[in-house]
Amino acid sequence: MNRFAYLRPTDIAEAVRAIAADPSARFIAGGTNLLDLMKYEVERPTRLIDITRLPGLDAVEETASGGLRIGALVPNADLAHDPRIAARYPLLASAILAGASPQLRNAASTGGNLLQRTRCYYFYDVGTPCNKRAPGAGCPAIDGVNRIHAILGTSTHCIATHPSDMCVALAALEAKVHVAGPNGERTIAIGDFHRLPEDRPDIDTTLAHDEIIVAVELPAEGFAGHCTYLKLRDRLSYAFALVSVAVGLAMDGDAIGRARIALGGVAHKPWRVPEAEALLQGRPPTEESYAAAADRLLAGARAYRDNGFKIELARRAITRGLAQAASGTPQSQTDKRIR
Amino acid sequence: MANGETYFGTARGRVDGPAKVTGSARYAAEFAAADLAHGHVVSAAIAKGRIAAIETAAAEAVHGVLRIFTHANRPGTAWRDARYRDEVAPPGSPFRPLHDAKIVFSGQPIALVVAEDDATARYAASLLRVRYAAEPHATDLERQRGQAYVPRRKRTGIAPPPKPRGDAQKAFDAAPVRIDHEYRVAVEHHNPMEPHASTVIWEGDGRITVHDKIQGVQNSLGYITGVFGLSQKNVRVLSPFVGGAFGSGLRPQYQLFLAVMAALDLKRSVRVELTRDQMFTLGYRPATIQRVALGAAPDGTLQAILHDAIAGTSTFEDYQEVVVNWSSLLYHCDNVALTYRLAQIDTYTPADMRAPGATLGVFALESAIDELAYAAGVDPLEIRRRNYTRTDENEGKDFTSKELMECYRLGAERFGWSRRSAAPRSMREGRELVGWGVASGAWEAMMMKTSARAALTADGRLEVATATADIGTGTYTILTQIAADALGLPMESVTARIGDSALPHSPVEGGSWTAASAGSAVQAACRAVREKLFSAARAAENSPLANADPSHVRFVNGRIVLAADPARFITVADAMRAAGLERLEEEATASPDSATQKRYSAYTHSAIFAEVRVDAQLGVVRVTRIVNAVAAGRIINPRTARSQIIGGVVFGLGMALTEESLPDHALGRFMNHNLGEYHIPVNADVPAIDVIFVDEHDDKASPLGVKGLGEIGIVGSAAAIANAVYHATGTRVRSLPMTLDKLLPEKPAGRA
Ligand SMILES: Cc1cc2nc3c(=O)[nH]c(=O)nc-3n(C[C@H](O)[C@H](O)[C@H](O)COP(=O)(O)OP(=O)(O)OC[C@H]3O[C@@H](n4cnc5c(N)ncnc54)[C@H](O)[C@@H]3O)c2cc1C
Ligand code: SF4
């Protein structure tokens, strides 16, 4: 771990000024990702700006439009167990509880979760090349150990995935990210927040270096009656998703009214295809309808050496997730039997 | 002087439990000294080649850095290979850290940065710039299998495959039912909770005290004195507590070399602790490619067994373990051909890992037997009974005892095997396919020459001591039980001391031999004390035992009692006082009986039953029930014994479903070198594990009648789970771990 200066600003404006002044400064919240990256020498910030004491970022509040505004410092565990989240946005609660461990969820913040970095093995190992860590160095994952890597939206520069579970639910819920920078606040739709690697895999998101996440806003619609978060992984708990699917449905009698589907573990960002969701509108909740949506979601998926199975696995996960949501029997995160 | 057994055979909590949960039990990296310096290891980024240059200037400039050791400036050490060869080293030329510019495996230590504190050492280490002259490496066993060879020099203690019997190929060709497949198991790393570490305390007078994470302090002692030319009297190695090892602590690891080297050079105390990532640069369970071909009569009776294994080893040592011999040990068969070969790859030398060899060989064999059962239409449990053998056909010996048949019976009964429906995919519950599988397990019941000391003091306290280790197995507890019984003392009056090289000789703690070996030695030492004590008691003035013969007395509750009239006794304290004894100390050595060993083979056995539930579409496996019936002679402590079996089963579950060190052959490096991505089973993966200890009388395997339990729990586990998965799904997975991609019903493109 390199040597760094440590700052603890007292308000958001001061935090923003501090980060704007130093291109190699980093905010630190729960530290569950950043400290690991520092120990591995992947991140070598000159300055750590501790935002955990900033006022006003630790509450979950009602919004005028009937949604909830979640402060960037709300711990993942508190969020998942917030009664309003559990009742109105069970999809989000479930996705959070599917991730990490209780200890990590206690420490991890809402803002940090959005900005957690890929779990690509090479990215974490400075003994290997990696375009995301060192632009231009090459990507050994493309022809290497890529069982956990992306099948959608990849580039010739990087095939890493975004590892968050929470963000997959946020994508399905069409959350908004409120950020503050030197020029004031702005709002980024969750779908625009994470980006595809293209030729700049070193840039994960559209957040500027001098901006801070202040809140995540959930719209009123939480799909509480018909949702699920189904996560498939290499052991029954405490592993990142090979494939995950977040589904929210608004049923219209016996048919599907509106559908939201987001995939995790398959791309550099939570993967949504509005056309696939549109295919479900007005359709009966049948395997046939689900298969059509799955095909559309996975159109263009590409298999690398070890991860071809993800295409078929994702197809099945989508189908199952839609069935769980439609029947109102969401996946439990404690009982490991898949419903 | 027969003594009743108060503690032997009873369930007891760990005597070292309170020390462990309160943190007063200290581990190798937890010892400190006023002058302690900290070393951080720098690991090679390439698998093969040379170090062209290491630029150390930037690191040296960091305040607090004391010295940076590389091949270019390291102090001199012994020249001959023999000096580096530890007790359990395989044949070959042991790796010498920082020896020269040559790199022979990825992650090889190439520098040690020593600083005043750990953070500074680590930071400075990150400033080193290394330039390599890389050479092409080969790390893929699949590609090297063509180069496989039969190791010329055999590893001590590892039986080579038995001579062929009959004509296996001919019998196989003629057999009406045949099975012939390849089986693979991925590389696994031990991953004990406690990372490897050594703290060397510079005592200032030429002596060093070394706190090492090791399964045998005297192995480290021999290594240090050999390599650094030190006298035994100037080095003491301590390892009273070991936070798991599973074989990774059998051989001295490179951090020991580096810590001692730095301490001697700097003349101050030094600690070197490996990072979790560096734990993946140590020895590992080698990958294997095995072919098992079985020929049988229509009723499943074996007519031919062919088993070939190719295992990876390093380019500098021929690591060997017993992989194939189990195939002709577990079943009767007249036509047997077993072969075991090695192929060199550019990695570190593999290492013994819990039930080394057996886990691999028995997985392949017990999968193949299962396949044969389906091919012959015979129940998988029945086919095992039908091919049962009462003798060790490899060696032509009788067993000291073998209650495997009883394991099958009791295990099946507890599991409810008779309710199993034969056909694959025939037991379904909702979306889940249910499968039941069985496998047998075996492990050698060894005993090794071991010495122990017992010292009784006038206050009625007993201390027993031997240099062995407790890697979490319960050694402290069982030695206390054995000693307490031998002298009729309460367990609270007995202290066991281990993990100190100054104590009487003990081999490394491994091979499941410690209970039988250290236990027998402690018992022998206690008996020697008892004899002396009895003489003293008899000679005491007005002794109620004056005319008693040793066979007339019993040692109970701190008293020596006339068996015929328990009201007549003398207390241990009185007997000692009468004889003017402050302390009675005896040392004894227990050795296996060579005449018995010539005539008999000693093995533990198990029958393990597994239930899995597999999501029919998604391939997600849940293990929902395990019954493991074990025949291991006498059980000293059913509680610690059960823990050993449970731990073994969980280990086997990991092997079956989750554990795999993923190599990048282009880089010659394992890539998932952390516990986030190397998946050890977590609680959610582990079902209730029902352990049965089958009654087994054995008066030959060891003086105590015990056989050892550390390893048998894992053997057979992976096969039982794989067999259950087949029964559930109809998909036979012949390469471990059975990750869900291998169970997706239609195999998509990608991974084979
Ligand atoms: C072993 C392990 C297993 C895990 N398993 C899972 C899993 O299964 N699923 C899952 O989803 N996650 C998992 N995680 C990841 C975990 O969810 C993240 O590490 C966590 O959410 C990060 O939050 P944090 O507050 O600790 O972020 P930090 O580590 O403090 O920060 C992460 C990044 O975000 C930046 N940052 C933080 N807050 C702000 C802000 N308000 N504004 C701007 N920038 C900010 C920091 O500068 C840093 O770059 C796992 C982590 C570990 C270590
Ligand atoms: S996939 Fe991306 S993160 Fe991984 S090695 Fe390639 S460039 Fe780096």
Side-chain angles (χ1 to χ4, degrees):
Chain A
M1 191 184 281
N2 67 301
R3 292 178 171 183
F4 53 85
Y6 175 81
L7 282 71
R8 193 191 284 162
T10 51
D11 62 34
I12 293 173
E14 189 190 340
V16 168
R17 273 198 306 278
I19 196 110
D22 182 352
S24 55
R26 291 284 182 278
F27 291 129
I28 181 162
T32 58
N33 191 209
L34 184 61
L35 288 178
D36 276 356
L37 291 164
M38 288 171 67
K39 288 182 199 164
Y40 290 132
E41 308 290 342
V42 176
E43 292 272 15
R44 302 173 63 95
T46 47
R47 209 174 284 259
L48 276 192
I49 305 169
D50 183 347
I51 59 172
T52 56
R53 314 289 166 99
L54 292 184
L57 298 182
D58 59 354
V60 179
E61 293 160 339
E62 298 286 344
T63 63
S65 53
L68 289 175
R69 184 183 160 105
I70 304 158
L73 289 175
V74 174
N76 288 179
D78 291 14
L79 186 57
H81 294 296
D82 185 295
R84 291 162 293 178
I85 297 290
R88 286 153 56 185
Y89 305 93
L91 171 57
L92 178 59
S94 183
I96 293 171
L97 294 175
S101 66
Q103 294 90 331
L104 282 159
R105 295 194 298 263
N106 283 339
S109 66
T110 303
N113 196 317
L114 282 163
L115 291 170
Q116 63 173 296
R117 310 209 65 187
T118 183
R119 307 310 287 200
C120 170
Y121 317 114
Y122 302 91
F123 176 66
Y124 282 77
D125 183 344
V126 294
T128 69
C130 166
N131 284 331
K132 186 183 276 298
R133 180 169 26 82
C139 173
I142 289 179
D143 297 311
V145 186
N146 52 31
R147 194 168 166 271
I148 61 173
H149 286 73
I151 50 173
L152 289 160
T154 56
S155 76
T156 54
H157 302 275
C158 179
I159 60 170
T161 62
H162 183 67
S164 168
D165 292 301
M166 185 184 90
C167 294
V168 184
L170 291 180
L173 292 168
E174 292 194 341
K176 292 192 192 95
V177 185
H178 294 278
V179 309
N183 306 320
E185 291 212 10
R186 66 176 181 126
T187 302
I188 309 171
I190 185 79
D192 299 328
F193 186 80
H194 299 102
R195 57 182 295 283
L196 292 178
E198 298 169 343
D199 58 356
R200 286 305 300 275
D202 52 319
I203 307 174
D204 289 353
T205 68
T206 53
L207 187 77
H209 172 72
D210 56 7
E211 288 179 313
I212 183 170
I213 299 173
V214 290
V216 172
E217 185 186 332
L218 299 175
E221 173 66 277
F223 301 97
H226 293 278
C227 67
T228 196
Y229 188 72
L230 176 60
K231 179 178 182 182
L232 302 170
R233 49 189 143 177
D234 275 328
R235 60 185 166 194
L236 295 176
S237 181
Y238 201 27
F240 288 93
L242 290 166
V243 167
S244 70
V245 52
V247 180
L249 299 178
M251 299 302 285
D252 183 1
D254 284 343
I256 297 169
R258 269 177 313 120
R260 299 269 183 77
I261 313 169
L263 301 179
V266 296
H268 203 254
K269 60 187 288 186
W271 193 254
R272 260 189 82 193
V273 178
E275 296 80 357
E277 295 166 5
L279 285 178
L280 286 164
Q281 207 162 334
R283 303 279 303 169
T286 58
E287 296 279 320
E288 205 190 341
S289 314
Y290 305 155
D295 281 343
R296 186 65 193 81
L297 261 158
L298 295 168
R302 168 172 173 191
Y304 292 85
R305 193 191 75 184
D306 302 333
N307 71 354
F309 75 96
K310 280 194 178 185
I311 301 174
E312 185 59 25
L313 187 66
R315 193 183 308 281
R316 291 169 196 221
I318 295 163
T319 308
R320 183 70 68 84
L322 283 164
Q324 289 179 342
S327 61
T329 50
Q331 180 59 40
S332 159
Q333 302 303 345
T334 45
D335 171 9
K336 300 299 174 186
R337 188 174 54 87
I338 297 174
R339 296 199 173 150
Chain B
M1 216 151 32
N3 229 33
E5 283 169 347
T6 306
Y7 298 110
F8 200 112
T10 64
R12 301 284 159 179
R14 285 166 193 267
V15 298
D16 51 332
K20 283 186 171 161
V21 298
T22 57
S24 65
R26 284 196 289 163
Y27 295 83
E30 295 181 318
F31 291 86
D35 68 337
L36 187 66
H38 300 255
H40 189 80
V41 177
V42 179
S43 310
I46 64 165
K48 191 175 176 185
R50 300 184 68 79
I51 302 166
I54 303 185
E55 288 166 29
T56 56
E60 267 157 9
V62 174
H63 179 73
V65 170
L66 296 164
R67 172 130 343 148
I68 298 170
F69 295 94
T70 68
H71 67 281
N73 68 353
R74 65 159 175 90
T77 50
W79 183 244
R80 283 175 31 243
D81 266 348
R83 297 283 199 139
Y84 295 80
R85 215 168 276 136
D86 64 277
E87 270 177 45
V88 285
S93 182
F95 171 66
R96 304 177 183 194
L98 311 189
H99 184 67
D100 54 24
K102 222 167 123 185
I103 289 177
V104 289
F105 63 95
S106 180
Q108 174 179 328
I110 53 172
L112 182 76
V113 178
V114 186
E116 293 289 352
D117 62 83
D118 184 43
T120 301
R122 201 166 168 159
Y123 165 60
S126 75
L127 301 179
L128 247 55
R129 290 293 160 261
V130 185
R131 279 188 295 112
Y132 302 98
E135 290 162 26
H137 59 255
T139 52
D140 188 353
L141 185 65
E142 301 287 345
R143 287 180 172 218
Q144 299 312 111
R145 64 185 291 183
Q147 321 287 320
Y149 56 93
V150 175
R152 210 161 34 79
R153 288 178 47 219
K154 305 299 176 202
R155 183 173 175 210
T156 313
I158 300 300
K163 296 231 156 52
R165 304 198 287 271
D167 188 336
Q169 189 61 50
K170 205 169 124 204
F172 177 76
D173 291 340
V177 187
R178 283 182 297 192
I179 287 295
D180 187 353
H181 293 292
E182 279 194 353
Y183 302 85
R184 286 170 168 76
V185 183
V187 164
E188 296 176 294
H189 281 82
H190 304 70
N191 280 307
M193 185 93 84
E194 177 201 15
H196 276 265
S198 305
T199 304
V200 179
I201 308 291
W202 179 255
E203 303 286 3
D205 51 2
R207 290 184 305 117
I208 53 171
T209 304
V210 181
H211 300 277
D212 191 27
K213 180 195 174 87
I214 192 79
Q215 290 172 250
V217 277
Q218 290 169 336
N219 196 22
S220 292
L221 176 71
Y223 179 81
I224 294 167
T225 51
V227 169
F228 296 99
L230 301 174
S231 149
Q232 294 242 355
K233 68 178 197 311
N234 287 332
V235 184
R236 183 173 174 201
V237 182
L238 298 168
S239 186
F241 296 103
V242 181
F246 313 116
S248 67
L250 289 171
R251 303 186 69 183
Q253 298 290 4
Y254 61 74
Q255 93 286 343
L256 174 67
F257 175 101
L258 295 172
V260 174
M261 173 199 73
L264 294 177
D265 194 67
L266 296 168
K267 301 201 180 347
R268 62 183 280 189
S269 304
V270 174
R271 176 193 298 156
V272 178
E273 185 179 7
L274 299 189
T275 63
R276 178 58 62 184
D277 301 68
Q278 287 167 340
M279 292 294 287
F280 286 80
T281 67
L282 305 178
Y284 56 85
R285 195 193 293 291
T288 43
I289 304 167
Q290 302 184 56
R291 174 206 175 206
V292 181
L294 303 176
D299 69 351
T301 310
L302 284 167
Q303 297 176 335
I305 302 176
L306 293 100
H307 188 168
D308 174 60
I310 298 174
T313 191
S314 66
T315 53
F316 46 94
E317 285 174 316
D318 275 351
Y319 172 78
Q320 293 156 61
E321 55 189 23
V322 178
V323 176
V324 295
N325 309 14
W326 314 98
S327 289
S328 52
L329 180 94
L330 270 165
Y331 299 110
H332 166 72
C333 186
D334 292 327
N335 301 290
V336 175
L338 311 182
T339 45
Y340 173 62
R341 293 174 291 156
L342 302 178
Q344 292 188 348
I345 49 175
D346 293 304
T347 65
Y348 192 46
T349 307
D352 296 301
M353 179 164 164
R354 206 164 193 175
T359 40
L360 301 169
V362 171
F363 162 67
L365 169 70
E366 287 295 282
S367 295
I369 291 282
D370 204 64
E371 301 203 45
L372 185 69
Y374 287 96
V378 181
D379 175 83
L381 180 60
E382 177 53 26
I383 202 169
R384 290 173 165 86
R385 288 177 161 142
R386 214 166 267 180
N387 289 293
Y388 201 76
T389 174
R390 304 210 162 272
T391 58
D392 173 352
E393 296 175 22
N394 283 348
E395 305 231 359
K397 294 179 187 172
D398 285 333
F399 289 109
T400 57
S401 60
K402 180 179 176 182
E403 295 294 348
L404 176 57
M405 204 51 114
E406 196 61 1
C407 295
Y408 290 142
R409 191 181 70 79
L410 289 173
E413 200 177 283
R414 181 78 60 88
F415 190 80
W417 185 260
S418 60
R419 294 194 303 277
R420 179 179 183 272
S421 77
R425 298 181 77 87
S426 61
M427 301 194 341
R428 190 185 257 270
E429 265 175 38
R431 295 182 193 273
E432 285 188 320
L433 300 165
V434 181
W436 290 1
V438 64
S440 322
W443 182 249
E444 198 175 354
M446 289 172 271
M447 184 186 165
M448 307 292 272
K449 185 175 170 184
T450 303
S451 303
R453 187 167 67 214
L456 182 68
T457 41
D459 58 0
R461 292 202 59 86
L462 174 69
E463 183 187 270
V464 291
T466 172
T468 189
D470 186 335
I471 57 173
T473 45
T475 311
Y476 278 107
T477 310
I478 60 154
L479 295 185
T480 306
Q481 289 174 269
I482 291 166
D485 275 345
L487 278 160
L489 296 170
M491 272 177 78
E492 298 71 43
S493 300
V494 180
T495 310
R497 274 187 58 206
I498 59 176
D500 179 344
S501 62
L503 298 176
H505 171 76
S506 169
V508 293
E509 193 207 35
S512 295
W513 59 56
T514 301
S517 311
S520 297
V522 161
Q523 190 183 59
C526 290
R527 287 193 170 158
V529 167
R530 197 164 71 186
E531 271 171 37
K532 288 266 165 66
L533 183 61
F534 177 67
S535 307
R538 207 163 46 172
E541 216 177 306
N542 297 327
S543 173
L545 313 178
N547 301 313
D549 180 273
S551 65
H552 292 158
V553 301
R554 288 161 48 83
F555 287 68
V556 279
N557 270 330
R559 297 166 170 184
I560 311 165
V561 189
L562 262 187
D565 179 4
R568 301 187 59 190
F569 65 84
I570 178 167
T571 66
V572 168
D574 285 345
M576 301 260 306
R577 204 171 306 124
L581 289 170
E582 265 310 305
R583 182 183 170 88
L584 247 178
E585 182 176 310
E586 293 293 327
E587 192 166 319
T589 298
S591 306
D593 182 63
S594 57
T596 309
Q597 282 186 321
K598 273 204 195 81
R599 286 192 45 207
Y600 297 96
S601 287
Y603 284 88
T604 53
H605 293 91
S606 69
I608 173 158
F609 299 79
E611 176 184 274
V612 301
R613 284 158 197 260
V614 186
D615 187 282
Q617 282 108 38
L618 301 171
V620 175
V621 180
R622 294 188 303 135
V623 180
T624 44
R625 225 149 49 87
I626 297 271
V627 173
N628 196 353
V630 178
R634 295 192 68 195
I635 305 303
I636 304 171
N637 182 340
R639 189 158 152 192
T640 51
R642 183 169 169 273
S643 293
Q644 281 304 295
I645 301 303
I646 289 174
V649 170
V650 174
F651 225 111
L653 194 153
M655 178 177 184
L657 295 176
T658 60
E659 290 188 46
E660 174 172 28
S661 299
L662 296 164
D664 180 313
H665 294 304
L667 297 169
R669 190 176 180 87
F670 294 111
M671 288 314 306
N672 55 335
H673 41 73
N674 58 70
L675 292 183
E677 299 297 340
Y678 180 97
H679 297 124
I680 288 169
V682 294
N683 280 324
D685 295 297
V686 180
I689 298 168
D690 198 344
V691 180
I692 301 171
F693 291 112
V694 171
D695 272 340
E696 186 173 67
H697 176 74
D698 193 313
D699 57 6
K700 301 183 189 73
S702 72
L704 297 172
V706 310
K707 284 179 164 179
L709 283 163
E711 281 148 305
I712 186 66
I714 182 176
V715 186
S717 294
I721 293 167
N723 294 343
V725 165
Y726 175 75
H727 183 231
T729 63
T731 302
R732 176 67 65 180
V733 182
R734 300 191 185 89
S735 81
L736 299 183
M738 294 181 282
T739 43
L740 55 69
D741 45 315
K742 297 178 186 170
L743 285 164
L744 281 182
E746 297 147 50
K747 190 146 287 180
R751 224 178 176 213

